[in-house]
Amino acid sequence: MQTKLVKNRKDSDKIVISISSGTCGQARGSLNLVEAFKKAIKGRENKISIKVTGCHGFCNAEPNVVIFPNEVFYSNLKPEDAAKIVEATLKGEIVNDLLYQENNKRFTHFNDIPFYKAQLRTLLGDNPLIDPVNIDDYLAQGGYKSLVKALKMEPGKIIEEIKRSGLRGRGGAGFPTGLKWEIVRKQKGDIKYIICNGDEGDPGAYMDRSILESNPHLVIEGMIIGAYAMGATEGWLYVRNEYPLAVKNLLVALNQTRKQGLLGNNILNSRFNFDIKMAKGAGAFVCGEETALIASIEDKRGMPKQRPPFPAQQGLFGKPTNINNVETWADVTRIIDKGADWFAGIGTKTSKGTKIFSLVGKIKNSGLVEVPMGITLDKIVFDIGGGAQSGKEVKAIQNGGPSGGCIPKELFNLPVDYESLTSAGAIMGSGGMIVMDENTCMVDTAKYFTNFLQSESCGKCVTCREGTQRMYEILNNITEGNGQEEDLTLLEDLGKVVKEVSLCGLGQTAPNPLLSTLRYFKDEYLAHIKEKKCPAGVCKALIRYTISVETCTGCGLCKKNCPQDAIEGEKKKLHVIEEDKCIKCGICFDVCKSNAVNKITGKEGVLCLK
Amino acid sequence: MPKVKIDGLEFDAPEKWSVLEVARFLGLEIPTLCYNEGLSAWGGCRLCLVEIGTGDRTKLVTSCTYPAEEGLVVKTSSKRVVNARKMVLELLIAQCPTSRTLQDLAAKMGLKQVRFKPKWEKCIYCGLCVRMCEEQMMAKAIGFTNRGNKLKINTPFNKTSDECRRCGACMYICPVCTVRCEGANPKDVLCGRCENSLQPTCIDINDSYNCWMGLKGECGTCAKEKLTVK
């Protein structure tokens, strides 16, 4: 079997066009691009071939292709570009116009682009080389090499190796993985379970989806290794049903793995039996929490349970269970392959290895970035992300999903590791990183995330259910201009109690957006409460629009576009907004070509930031 | 038998006892709401909080669900615990001011203010009825539906359930339905009628224990002392 695995690792000198076609690529039209390329290479399949891969990680450049072996990167393609690229590539030329461009500089090669250059893509790096529904592609990249290696090791040695690597759970809490495995291994009993937590519910985070749909075998391999190390007999892949491509690719991958004898009875003649089942999540955010996830697999209502007993002692169906995040399982495969020392060599003293963040929000280069732990936020936001869109100033980032915290720009020299983020009031979380610029109101941000959490709380414990609802109520009051100064003390008291008292991780982190914005942006709260001002010009109740007497040209564009007919004025004469009709949608502000519409806030009418 | 230390008292707890059971056995008072001896522990109301651990590494847990483990150090009424309980009760009472059970608890715990807008809801989602129906009546006729701010306790699909035998056990156990408080004042939500005029003050004075006499705040000595000082 091993020789067969090795034989599959063939290198080919054929030109391969790798088309990024994850869920995000498909949304940007990559499927049409695939069709166009198929047409373009017709008759020349012996020289050139196409590969439909998962996500390449660079959302702004979707749909894009990488052409191997020279690693030429073409971005933002349309179907009509396909023929041009194929012709040029066969001649050994490069289509300059379609290359990725940044700051008036064009980049030919994939790894020269600033977005990719500063990254360390140990998990995502193989994505452009792998067709997720073809196990041979994975094998060609050295796939299942780690499993072969692991099956020759003592289970205890594997756990020792994971412990030595310093790997910590990538789901957010950062519990040392090796330790968790050891606890499960030591439990008595014949039946043990392992679970892969792919219930990625954070708005704006999609690294787990990307791994699952682009490189499913990486996760499956990690799970088989883990099962062998812990003596588990059955594994569960818990994936959101909202990720149809991930579900499909995983099912295909599981079937292929079984056919190759890598799952099932007597895996690679090692007398080790293990199989993986799949469970699909029904869309509740709370089911990402370990005990709620277990309840969900057991066909019960997704509600967390008080620990102890921990899942490692009494988990799925009452048996010892180990749950790890998608990224953690993928890391396991790499650690066994390259060794614990390699992994421990990356990162900081307490946080090792790399971490994938989904860099989104008001940033120039949005996408998935995989960076070594300990990198500063500055580097991620400015070097990789290229700063804010259209020349605005970055104000803060929100890290760790809806229950993460906001970190202001002044702290961007903070190294990214579990401890630093927690001390700054945020969490590592699953790795969502939302960039906010000066047009973002921090009170509104806190309100937005608290609103998400109040509707996603399972409702079991009072502090999370009522606490988040009350936090939202008070924040909403403040954004509507009805806040009192004592509200801030109440919010702080309430936030602290919710954090300390709540049953599960959701409630314990739910006050983070509120508490972190209150800590770093108290002046904005006070502006809302005392001066009834929203400095960023977001909270509708506190802003109004006026038209400047000096600059209005009377073009009538605002009048034409106003959905409320709230603008009066004759052609070529000054236009006026009727305040009682205005719903503050801001369309006039956006369409005015002479910058005559002003957004003002507060009683004295201060101009908001443009 | 695991040895635990609870409010300074050392005790060999029988296997599988919870912290709450140990405390009650020792006569230490811990307020509860969603707990009932005949039902499984739920840990939803958060009123039975206690502080466990020593030094800086202490945390708040619900005593009804936490097992009495070997070497566990518990404080049942430290300031941190009492403050957290008060906030929890404040949230509960603002949700449903007409519950006599909640008003009594408020009076007992010395809750003086409710800073949230009253919701006047008819349910606090403590889940007692759901567990009663499932565990004691073996009917499983009701359950939680939806989540977050849309949470309800309901029959499946909001239709009359064939499983329900109309035994009324859910109403019997409900801390809101059975005994309604008529005195709740819409202005400040708290009724306060049942409040004992001799409120113990020892909770405010001692960090760790209710009372230096170990009399769980019921002796009233300190309250009397306070009166005479005035």
Side-chain angles (χ1 to χ4, degrees):
Chain A
M1 184 65 210
Q2 271 169 261
T3 43
K4 199 178 132 203
L5 287 180
V6 176
K7 217 176 77 191
N8 274 318
R9 283 172 204 145
K10 56 189 179 209
D11 282 316
S12 150
D13 46 4
K14 210 161 119 179
I15 301 168
V16 178
I17 303 173
S18 148
I19 307 168
S20 172
S21 192
T23 301
C24 34
Q26 291 186 4
R28 295 280 286 259
S30 70
L31 289 179
N32 293 338
L33 197 66
V34 171
E35 287 307 310
F37 269 109
K38 269 188 192 158
K39 234 186 241 167
I41 64 162
K42 211 162 218 173
R44 288 171 285 193
E45 279 93 347
N46 54 342
K47 281 189 214 151
I48 192 162
S49 66
I50 55 172
K51 186 173 283 190
V52 184
T53 69
C55 174
H56 293 178
F58 195 177
C59 299
N60 268 38
E62 294 282 2
N64 58 53
V65 300
V66 184
I67 296 178
F68 291 100
N70 291 336
E71 299 193 351
V72 182
F73 185 76
Y74 293 112
S75 65
N76 299 99
L77 299 177
K78 292 183 194 71
E80 51 269 31
D81 301 329
K84 242 191 283 177
I85 291 175
V86 172
E87 295 308 324
T89 310
L90 282 173
K91 280 186 220 152
E93 289 166 6
I94 286 164
V95 191
N96 263 319
D97 300 350
L98 297 174
L99 289 175
Y100 175 73
Q101 187 181 8
E102 192 173 318
N103 299 331
N104 292 324
K105 205 179 151 204
R106 292 208 178 262
F107 297 88
T108 316
H109 295 291
F110 185 66
N111 288 321
D112 294 337
I113 298 168
F115 178 79
Y116 287 114
K117 209 173 173 182
Q119 295 188 42
L120 184 65
R121 295 165 71 86
T122 59
L123 300 180
L124 296 174
D126 284 349
N127 284 6
L129 296 161
I130 288 172
D131 178 353
V133 292
N134 187 351
I135 192 171
D136 289 344
D137 278 2
Y138 182 65
L139 294 175
Q141 298 310 318
Y144 291 103
K145 202 164 72 183
S146 312
L147 178 64
V148 172
K149 191 171 164 188
L151 289 176
K152 284 186 197 150
M153 290 163 80
E154 280 282 309
K157 276 264 158 56
I158 299 177
I159 294 180
E160 209 44 55
E161 191 81 354
I162 300 291
K163 269 168 108 176
R164 214 158 49 83
S165 74
L167 174 65
R168 293 170 68 176
R170 296 295 193 242
F175 192 82
T177 308
L179 207 61
K180 206 168 170 177
W181 286 20
E182 196 171 38
I183 297 170
V184 175
R185 177 160 181 81
K186 279 184 183 157
Q187 298 295 318
K188 288 185 191 108
D190 295 338
I191 302 172
K192 286 172 194 171
Y193 295 105
I194 59 165
I195 299 174
C196 170
N197 183 349
D199 190 63
E200 187 179 43
D202 300 7
Y206 47 96
M207 45 265 145
D208 293 350
R209 188 195 72 203
S210 180
I211 296 180
L212 289 176
E213 58 185 37
S214 315
N215 201 352
H217 288 289
L218 189 64
V219 179
I220 295 172
E221 186 175 357
M223 285 179 76
I224 306 173
I225 295 170
Y228 175 69
M230 283 175 269
T233 44
E234 197 172 284
W236 285 83
L237 264 162
Y238 190 89
V239 190
R240 296 183 80 191
N241 204 26
E242 291 93 327
Y243 286 174
L245 188 64
V247 169
K248 185 192 122 201
N249 288 358
L250 277 167
L251 285 174
V252 172
L254 284 175
N255 272 336
Q256 288 172 342
T257 328
R258 269 182 216 121
K259 265 190 202 145
Q260 297 273 358
L262 296 160
L263 269 183
N265 288 338
N266 197 13
I267 293 172
L268 298 179
N269 294 323
S270 62
R271 291 189 200 165
F272 167 58
N273 307 332
F274 177 68
D275 207 346
I276 298 177
K277 286 184 185 165
M278 187 190 268
K280 287 185 267 184
F285 179 68
V286 71
C287 286
E289 201 274 343
E290 287 187 343
T291 52
L293 188 149
I294 288 174
S296 171
I297 295 182
E298 290 171 344
D299 284 340
K300 291 181 189 146
R301 181 181 159 84
M303 266 186 172
K305 258 193 276 183
Q306 185 77 44
R307 281 169 284 195
F310 290 91
Q313 304 158 324
Q314 247 179 65
L316 187 62
F317 306 117
K319 303 283 186 240
T321 304
N322 176 68
I323 304 188
N324 278 128
N325 173 260
V326 170
E327 215 182 315
T328 318
W329 288 120
D331 273 325
V332 167
T333 311
R334 293 287 187 248
I335 291 170
I336 298 300
D337 181 20
K338 299 185 182 172
D341 296 323
W342 162 81
F343 193 82
I346 308 168
T348 64
K349 206 175 163 199
T350 52
S351 309
K352 304 289 186 195
T354 60
K355 173 84 190 86
I356 309 175
F357 290 97
S358 49
L359 191 59
V360 294
K362 295 183 173 169
I363 185 112
K364 216 183 258 170
N365 303 331
S366 60
L368 290 180
V369 298
E370 186 178 351
V371 288
M373 290 274 191
I375 192 175
T376 60
L377 288 170
D378 252 330
K379 276 205 173 126
I380 298 180
V381 175
F382 296 105
D383 294 358
I384 297 174
Q389 281 165 346
S390 57
K392 294 254 163 65
E393 280 271 315
V394 174
K395 184 179 188 175
I397 61 149
Q398 209 271 354
N399 198 62
S403 50
C406 296
I407 301 174
K409 198 181 70 180
E410 293 72 45
L411 293 178
F412 273 14
N413 55 0
L414 198 77
V416 174
D417 59 53
Y418 291 98
E419 281 74 22
S420 309
L421 286 175
T422 309
S423 70
I427 52 170
M428 179 70 82
S430 55
M433 195 179 270
I434 301 170
V435 180
M436 291 173 278
D437 67 10
E438 45 195 353
N439 282 24
T440 315
C441 167
M442 299 316 281
V443 185
D444 185 66
T445 305
K447 184 179 102 172
Y448 172 83
F449 286 115
T450 312
N451 187 25
F452 175 83
L453 292 161
Q454 69 149 352
S455 51
E456 285 300 333
S457 160
C458 79
K460 181 172 179 177
C461 75
V462 176
T463 40
C464 179
R465 184 188 68 235
E466 289 303 309
T468 51
Q469 286 180 35
R470 293 305 185 172
M471 285 192 278
Y472 174 75
E473 183 183 272
I474 299 168
L475 286 169
N476 196 35
N477 260 342
I478 294 176
T479 57
E480 282 177 353
N482 304 324
Q484 309 288 325
E485 249 187 286
E486 54 265 29
D487 284 350
L488 295 186
T489 338
L490 178 58
L491 276 176
E492 219 161 316
D493 287 353
L494 179 61
K496 273 183 199 151
V497 170
V498 173
K499 205 172 177 153
E500 277 191 329
V501 172
S502 293
L503 197 161
C504 79
L506 196 161
Q508 285 159 10
T509 53
N512 279 343
L514 164 76
L515 292 176
S516 64
T517 49
L518 206 53
R519 176 167 159 193
Y520 298 117
F521 300 97
K522 201 165 188 174
D523 50 331
E524 281 193 36
Y525 279 88
L526 289 172
H528 280 75
I529 292 169
K530 278 188 178 165
E531 301 159 48
K532 309 290 173 207
K533 248 193 233 170
C534 177
V538 175
C539 301
K540 281 191 178 166
L542 301 179
I543 56 165
R544 54 189 196 277
Y545 290 94
T546 59
I547 297 174
S548 153
V549 184
E550 292 96 40
T551 34
C552 178
T553 56
C555 68
L557 204 57
C558 53
K559 190 178 167 185
K560 206 173 132 196
N561 282 295
C562 179
Q564 290 298 101
D565 288 327
I567 301 177
E568 291 285 310
E570 284 172 39
K571 264 222 139 85
K572 308 230 162 147
K573 279 185 186 156
L574 173 68
H575 283 52
V576 180
I577 300 174
E578 286 178 50
E579 268 194 38
D580 47 335
K581 276 192 193 169
C582 176
I583 54 162
K584 295 164 189 177
C585 65
I587 291 177
C588 53
F589 183 76
D590 292 335
V591 296
C592 183
K593 282 178 181 155
S594 42
N595 267 339
V597 180
N598 291 323
K599 198 192 309 185
I600 56 178
T601 183
K603 277 177 224 142
E604 323 88 67
V606 188
L607 272 183
C608 295
L609 291 166
K610 280 268 169 181
Chain B
M1 291 219 282
K3 254 195 180 58
V4 295
K5 197 170 175 183
I6 178 162
D7 282 355
L9 302 167
E10 282 186 15
F11 183 68
D12 292 328
E15 294 291 334
K16 295 199 173 163
W17 270 31
S18 68
V19 172
L20 181 69
E21 282 167 313
V22 174
R24 293 224 161 141
F25 183 82
L26 293 174
L28 297 162
E29 199 167 345
I30 295 177
T32 55
L33 180 68
C34 75
Y35 175 79
N36 187 294
E37 276 177 11
L39 303 174
S40 62
W42 181 242
C45 76
R46 316 308 282 174
L47 276 174
C48 68
L49 289 169
V50 292
E51 191 174 351
I52 58 163
T54 48
D56 298 336
R57 296 179 60 92
T58 62
K59 61 175 182 180
L60 299 180
V61 297
T62 42
S63 58
C64 67
T65 55
Y66 208 91
E69 295 166 333
E70 178 63 39
L72 195 71
V73 179
V74 184
K75 287 179 187 170
T76 62
S77 47
S78 63
K79 234 177 198 161
R80 191 172 161 204
V81 168
V82 172
N83 287 341
R85 272 186 203 151
K86 278 187 179 170
M87 179 62 89
V88 171
L89 192 59
E90 207 177 326
L91 286 167
L92 278 169
I93 223 162
Q95 187 184 14
C96 179
T98 50
S99 159
R100 166 93 189 269
T101 317
L102 289 178
Q103 291 289 355
D104 281 354
L105 274 170
K108 210 167 184 181
M109 280 164 59
L111 186 69
K112 292 286 187 308
Q113 53 172 355
V114 174
R115 290 164 288 181
F116 308 107
K117 222 168 87 191
K119 284 185 177 170
W120 303 103
E121 278 183 42
K122 287 178 185 139
C123 179
I124 49 170
Y125 311 108
C126 65
L128 275 171
C129 55
V130 177
R131 278 174 288 147
M132 185 69 163
C133 187
E134 178 178 343
E135 293 169 17
Q136 290 293 344
M137 298 303 141
M138 309 294 170
K140 281 195 188 178
I142 49 174
F144 289 96
T145 62
N146 240 316
R147 60 181 182 273
N149 47 3
K150 296 197 191 83
L151 184 74
K152 285 275 167 305
I153 290 177
N154 210 337
T155 50
F157 309 106
N158 199 13
K159 290 203 171 98
T160 312
S161 167
D162 292 338
E163 307 298 321
C164 173
R165 304 188 299 268
R166 296 161 188 58
C167 68
C170 48
M171 284 165 75
Y172 164 77
I173 204 159
C174 177
V176 177
C177 293
T178 39
V179 225
R180 276 194 195 281
C181 171
E182 286 156 16
N185 181 350
K187 269 184 207 153
D188 59 4
V189 177
L190 289 169
C191 106
R193 287 205 309 187
C194 321
E195 188 172 4
N196 188 342
S197 56
L198 287 179
Q199 267 295 298
T201 57
C202 38
I203 293 170
D204 299 326
I205 297 165
N206 292 332
D207 233 14
S208 313
Y209 314 115
N210 266 353
C211 179
W212 59 275
M213 293 174 77
L215 287 174
K216 45 173 175 147
E218 283 178 344
C219 66
T221 316
C222 46
K224 276 176 207 152
E225 273 170 13
K226 204 178 169 192
L227 281 176
T228 47
V229 169
K230 266 182 186 173

